[in-house]
Amino acid sequence: MGGSEGQPLFETRSTKGTLLYRVFAVTVFLGICSIWTYRLIHLPAAGESRWAWRRWAWFGLFGAELWFGFYWILTQASRWSPISRQTFKDRLSHRHDHGLPGVDIFVCTADSAIEPPAMVISTVLSMMAYDYPTEKLAIYLSDDAASELTYYALLEASRFAKHWLPFCRKFKVQPTSPTAYFSSSTESVGDGGSHEEFLEIKKLYDETKHRIESACEHNLVPDKVRSAHEEFSQWDSYYSKRDHDTIIKILIDRTDSEAVDIEGKVLPTLVYMAREKRPDYVHNFKAGAMNSLIRVSSAITGGKIILNVDCDMYSNNSDAIRDALCFFMDEDNGHEIGFVQFPQRFDNLTKNDLYGASLLIACKVEFHGLDSHGGVLYIGSGCFHRRETLCGMKFGEEGKIAASMMSRISKGHQLKDLKDLASCTYEKNTQWGSEVGLKYGCPVEDVITGLAIKCRGWKSVYYNPQREAFLGLAPTTLLQTLVQHRRWSEGDLHIFLSKYNPAIYGAGRISPFLILGYHCYLLWAPNSLPTLYYSLVPSVCLLSGISLFPEISSWWLVPFVYVISVKYTYSLVEFLQSGGTVRGWWNEQRMWLYKRTSSYLFAIIDTAFKALGFSEATFAITTKVADEDSSRRYRSEVMEFGAASPMFTLISTLALLNLICFIGPGIRLAVMGSDFGYVGSMFLQVVLSGALVLINMPVYEGMFVRKDGGRMPTSTTVTSLVLAVSACTCVAFLS
């Protein structure tokens, strides 16, 4: 053990195959340049058949290809020099086990109807059961709906924790979320555990869960519980989830001699907080809740490290805190690390990830690449922060702003003072939300806050352990996925158009490669326009007999075929190496198309409307519940449409247009006979249109084949048919 003195607590390794990838990337770039060259030297000449139409289509494709090439260059920032990290927790224990810092964990929920309290407390219990000194651990639940049902669930959890934590310690339970553990266990426990002990703790949890779900079903806290706990009187002034007083209750105080489990061990501090909300005040969504938590926790426990998670993102790895501390407490490099980001992974994904919700390539490839340039993005959950970084402190110097803001907060406040810290008026005439805490005014407050931290001189670390640190719930319907990406891409576009654009705000402060890496995500929304053009115009021109690509006998076809084939082959290999499946990759390509032609397009429209003052910022919460029929279809990997949506109308119309444009020329050849000149000149357009038809097969099934509740709504089908047929008729008439 003595040999560990002076050795680093973590090491960084370069990923294998980097040189080979760079050679591949250079050849692809040469192919892209060749495509640009072809477009420039083969401009449609005046006098050609339908010259005007072809010229406009040609220039549009050239613009789209310029954008795709530019965006492809941006993506190289996250692939050029990827790295991986390894921690040494044994060295941490040997050198710092008696000097570990306090850790405050923030769990945020916003709506008890779509984020069930039973799910929330399972996440809370998993956080309480970390393999970490409980006298240095505190869990804070922020309930932005101020639901007494959520508080009741937390009260029940505080009782069950007295049994659950000893059980987890004794049998080294993984995961420590009781819901996840009991759903995956085989009615036995390791390390000599008996079947009876398993059944006993499971019975206790089932009873706890039943009481919570029964209260939620009846929308009523049991009278016996209400009368026994005077804190429920704080709900007497409750009007709605947007109009209520601050509600704060310390359910477990680790400094209290009675705050122990059944074995006499100290329990972690457990705090419920619902910040004050009034209709006349802007509450700033999750960022506002986080800033209130920062202040309240500073007055109660003041842990030097803060972990924040979404209410569905339970702990799957009891060593995650120690992993993070290996970075923060490393003697050589730890002082410059502001936050440690773990990947967001999900435990409800289907085998082939129907909706591409795993963000597999981002987690397994792209974030490792960004990590080599100063750190990954802060993605809002599963992230460990130094408290001072969230309080505005710059790296290497005392944070004057942070000190002045936090000087008003000290430990030992009475309940009245704690409530003031979470009041609507506390932040008035302060720099909370601008220079201190999470930043306001952006739907993706996490990304912009992480950027600001880096621009203050801190670095971040991305750590992807072999056992996932956190597991949550991914969207289980197509509409949920599209709405989620609509919000994300709108927020990213907001950052791009604001003063926080990394090219401006980060110039000279962060690595140029990191600036490029940020833009890969900030420019999600603009990707919609060239994708929409490329998935529509070549197919329409195929129907009209207008050629937009080299003939099959031309050497200029080579760069097109090379770029398309090697790019998608590499994409498939990369996906498989990251743990995906062939069908999963195909689903990913489908969702790539749907997000770009619907979510991202509507994000641009929403951004324009807000800039013109026609709408206000909103925060769409992804529901964590689904009806049984929908869940069954999801498990069977049947795409869910069900509800009417403008995004479905757009997707369906594009799918039908491509189907008509693909079938039309086939009928023409069948009626008029084979025309090899026509086929040769339209080869790539046929391939492109055919690929779009194949990728849209679930849409056609949902419109014309399926009879279940998840089929495409009849109104959407009729509207899309009318739009597609009308568009094709107009094209045929004009051409």
Side-chain angles (χ1 to χ4, degrees):
M1 294 294 290
S4 70
E5 296 294 341
Q7 292 183 306
L9 297 181
F10 73 91
E11 70 176 13
T12 304
R13 300 171 179 170
S14 297
T15 302
K16 296 179 180 179
T18 300
L19 180 60
L20 184 62
Y21 175 80
R22 291 177 179 177
V23 172
F24 158 79
V26 170
T27 64
V28 171
F29 180 68
L30 292 176
I32 291 171
C33 290
S34 299
I35 291 172
W36 292 342
T37 302
Y38 169 78
R39 290 291 177 202
L40 287 173
I41 66 176
H42 289 82
L43 295 174
E48 291 183 3
S49 176
R50 284 169 290 190
W51 166 76
W53 287 103
R54 187 165 183 255
R55 192 175 184 89
W56 280 110
W58 191 277
F59 279 121
L61 278 189
F62 182 39
E65 288 158 356
L66 282 173
W67 174 266
F68 290 145
F70 164 72
Y71 192 79
W72 184 84
I73 293 171
L74 292 181
T75 63
Q76 300 316 299
S78 58
R79 285 176 163 80
W80 201 248
S81 53
I83 59 175
S84 61
R85 312 274 191 176
Q86 180 180 352
T87 60
F88 301 103
K89 293 182 287 294
D90 55 336
R91 299 175 187 174
L92 175 75
S93 298
H94 176 63
R95 301 211 292 263
H96 300 289
D97 215 29
H98 297 292
L100 295 174
V103 177
D104 291 347
I105 301 175
F106 298 167
V107 181
C108 295
T109 182
D111 192 326
S112 59
I114 60 179
E115 295 173 334
M119 177 197 72
V120 174
I121 65 108
S122 189
T123 297
V124 169
L125 287 165
S126 75
M127 300 296 158
M128 296 179 72
Y130 268 120
D131 180 16
Y132 199 73
T134 51
E135 66 274 10
K136 297 183 178 181
L137 196 60
I139 292 83
Y140 293 80
L141 176 64
S142 168
D143 178 14
D144 249 13
S147 168
E148 63 179 357
L149 294 173
T150 300
Y151 176 76
Y152 168 65
L154 195 64
L155 183 62
E156 289 284 357
S158 68
R159 296 167 178 163
F160 178 70
K162 296 180 180 181
H163 303 270
W164 179 242
L165 269 61
F167 181 81
C168 291
R169 281 196 304 268
K170 181 177 181 180
F171 300 113
K172 296 181 173 57
V173 167
Q174 295 272 32
T176 51
S177 159
T179 298
Y181 174 72
F182 291 127
S183 65
S184 61
S185 65
T186 57
E187 298 200 358
S188 62
V189 289
D191 294 348
S194 68
H195 180 62
E196 288 74 19
E197 287 175 295
F198 174 89
L199 292 180
E200 181 181 355
I201 192 70
K202 186 176 186 300
K203 179 183 177 183
L204 280 174
Y205 180 65
D206 287 342
E207 291 172 349
T208 300
K209 187 177 180 181
H210 174 74
R211 289 193 295 270
I212 294 170
E213 291 178 342
S214 178
C216 292
E217 182 180 350
H218 295 91
N219 197 31
L220 184 67
V221 175
D223 291 337
K224 184 178 180 181
V225 176
R226 185 185 295 277
S227 60
H229 296 273
E230 62 179 12
E231 61 266 24
F232 280 102
S233 64
Q234 295 186 79
W235 272 269
D236 291 345
S237 61
Y238 180 87
Y239 297 104
S240 73
K241 62 182 181 182
R242 295 181 179 85
D243 188 7
H244 57 80
D245 293 337
T246 301
I247 302 173
I248 294 179
K249 176 62 178 178
I250 303 176
L251 290 90
I252 300 175
D253 184 352
R254 66 194 185 200
T255 63
D256 187 341
S257 59
E258 296 184 2
V260 295
D261 60 30
I262 58 173
E263 294 181 348
K265 302 284 187 180
V266 175
L267 288 168
T269 293
L270 181 62
V271 181
Y272 173 90
M273 183 202 79
R275 60 191 172 119
E276 181 187 15
K277 283 188 177 181
R278 301 299 178 197
D280 296 335
Y281 286 85
V282 178
H283 57 81
N284 294 301
F285 309 112
K286 182 180 175 181
M290 283 283 292
N291 286 344
S292 293
L293 283 171
I294 291 171
R295 295 191 296 271
V296 170
S297 65
S298 295
I300 299 175
T301 51
K304 292 184 178 180
I305 303 298
I306 292 174
L307 162 65
N308 81 281
V309 295
D310 292 336
C311 63
D312 65 310
M313 195 68 62
Y314 66 82
S315 168
N316 186 59
N317 185 338
S318 295
D319 290 328
I321 294 180
R322 294 179 182 272
D323 279 324
L325 292 181
C326 285
F327 297 104
F328 289 126
M329 302 185 74
D330 182 76
E331 289 82 357
D332 294 330
N333 300 303
H335 63 288
E336 63 184 6
I337 296 173
F339 64 86
V340 178
Q341 179 67 65
F342 286 77
Q344 285 193 6
R345 305 310 302 272
F346 307 97
D347 71 350
N348 66 330
L349 297 174
T350 61
K351 178 183 178 181
N352 299 300
D353 193 9
L354 180 61
Y355 299 118
S358 67
L359 303 176
L360 185 63
I361 298 303
C363 292
K364 292 295 186 74
V365 179
E366 295 173 356
F367 287 175
H368 285 285
L370 294 179
D371 198 17
S372 66
H373 304 306
V376 73
L377 290 67
Y378 168 35
I379 56 177
S381 184
C383 188
F384 290 84
H385 286 271
R386 293 184 185 274
R387 182 177 290 270
E388 56 262 37
T389 64
L390 289 177
C391 294
M393 186 175 290
K394 294 182 179 179
F395 171 68
E397 66 181 54
E398 291 295 327
K400 296 180 181 179
I401 295 175
S404 65
M405 290 293 103
M406 303 305 289
S407 63
R408 299 164 59 187
I409 305 173
S410 59
K411 289 187 180 180
H413 274 266
Q414 298 299 314
L415 180 60
K416 179 180 179 300
D417 299 318
L418 291 175
K419 287 187 174 183
D420 182 57
L421 296 175
S423 68
C424 290
T425 58
Y426 185 87
E427 296 180 352
K428 188 176 181 180
N429 299 322
T430 72
Q431 291 182 301
W432 281 98
S434 56
E435 298 298 328
V436 180
L438 273 72
K439 291 189 175 294
Y440 295 156
C442 179
V444 284
E445 72 290 324
D446 40 18
V447 175
I448 199 170
T449 299
L451 174 63
I453 290 172
K454 290 190 180 72
C455 289
R456 290 197 291 265
W458 297 95
K459 293 182 179 180
S460 67
V461 162
Y462 178 66
Y463 185 56
N464 190 1
Q466 186 172 3
R467 181 182 178 89
E468 292 94 341
F470 306 96
L471 290 175
L473 297 178
T476 57
T477 70
L478 178 59
L479 186 58
Q480 289 175 11
T481 305
L482 296 179
V483 169
Q484 184 181 69
H485 277 267
R486 179 175 176 174
R487 178 174 67 85
W488 288 349
S489 56
E490 181 186 341
D492 290 338
L493 183 59
H494 176 93
I495 296 175
F496 177 77
L497 298 174
S498 73
K499 67 178 181 179
Y500 293 107
N501 183 311
I504 301 171
Y505 186 67
R509 300 178 178 182
I510 59 177
S511 161
F513 269 91
L514 189 56
I515 291 175
L516 294 178
Y518 265 100
H519 280 86
C520 289
Y521 305 99
L522 303 188
L523 293 175
W524 269 358
N527 267 317
S528 64
L529 300 178
T531 304
L532 194 62
Y533 193 92
Y534 227 92
S535 61
L536 176 62
V537 173
S539 295
V540 170
C541 288
L542 173 64
L543 182 65
S544 303
I546 299 175
S547 175
L548 297 175
F549 295 94
E551 294 187 6
I552 197 169
S553 59
S554 171
W555 282 104
W556 283 108
L557 186 69
V558 174
F560 284 92
V561 173
Y562 178 76
V563 170
I564 294 171
S565 60
V566 301
K567 180 182 180 299
Y568 281 100
T569 299
Y570 178 82
S571 171
L572 174 59
V573 171
E574 182 181 64
F575 195 86
L576 295 176
Q577 289 181 338
S578 298
T581 64
V582 174
R583 190 174 173 185
W585 174 81
W586 184 246
N587 289 336
E588 180 81 12
Q589 306 312 304
R590 179 184 298 113
M591 290 308 303
W592 176 92
L593 175 68
Y594 291 173
K595 288 182 289 190
R596 288 193 175 198
T597 55
S598 61
S599 300
Y600 299 170
L601 179 63
F602 279 93
I604 291 178
I605 296 171
D606 290 344
T607 301
F609 277 10
K610 287 171 185 174
L612 295 173
F614 294 144
S615 63
E616 297 181 356
T618 58
F619 189 92
I621 304 171
T622 303
T623 182
K624 308 301 189 299
V625 292
D627 63 76
E628 183 56 36
D629 288 342
S630 175
S631 298
R632 186 178 64 255
R633 287 190 290 270
Y634 175 69
R635 292 191 294 269
S636 300
E637 298 195 330
V638 176
M639 188 161 281
E640 185 78 16
F641 299 103
S645 167
M647 290 190 284
F648 286 170
T649 302
L650 184 54
I651 289 172
S652 301
T653 302
L654 287 173
L656 288 172
L657 272 169
N658 277 285
L659 181 62
I660 295 170
C661 293
F662 182 71
I663 294 176
I667 296 175
R668 171 185 168 181
L669 290 175
V671 173
M672 301 179 62
S674 299
D675 184 346
F676 293 106
Y678 173 82
V679 173
S681 63
M682 296 292 182
F683 172 71
L684 276 183
Q685 282 163 262
V686 171
V687 171
L688 176 60
S689 186
L692 289 169
V693 168
L694 285 175
I695 213 166
N696 279 307
M697 289 304 294
V699 175
Y700 305 137
E701 292 175 0
M703 296 174 77
F704 305 119
V705 179
R706 289 167 53 188
K707 303 298 181 184
D708 57 72
R711 68 185 183 279
M712 189 70 73
T714 303
S715 59
T716 301
T717 300
V718 172
T719 302
S720 300
L721 271 171
V722 170
L723 291 173
V725 172
S726 299
C728 291
T729 302
C730 289
V731 169
F733 176 77
L734 292 174
S735 60

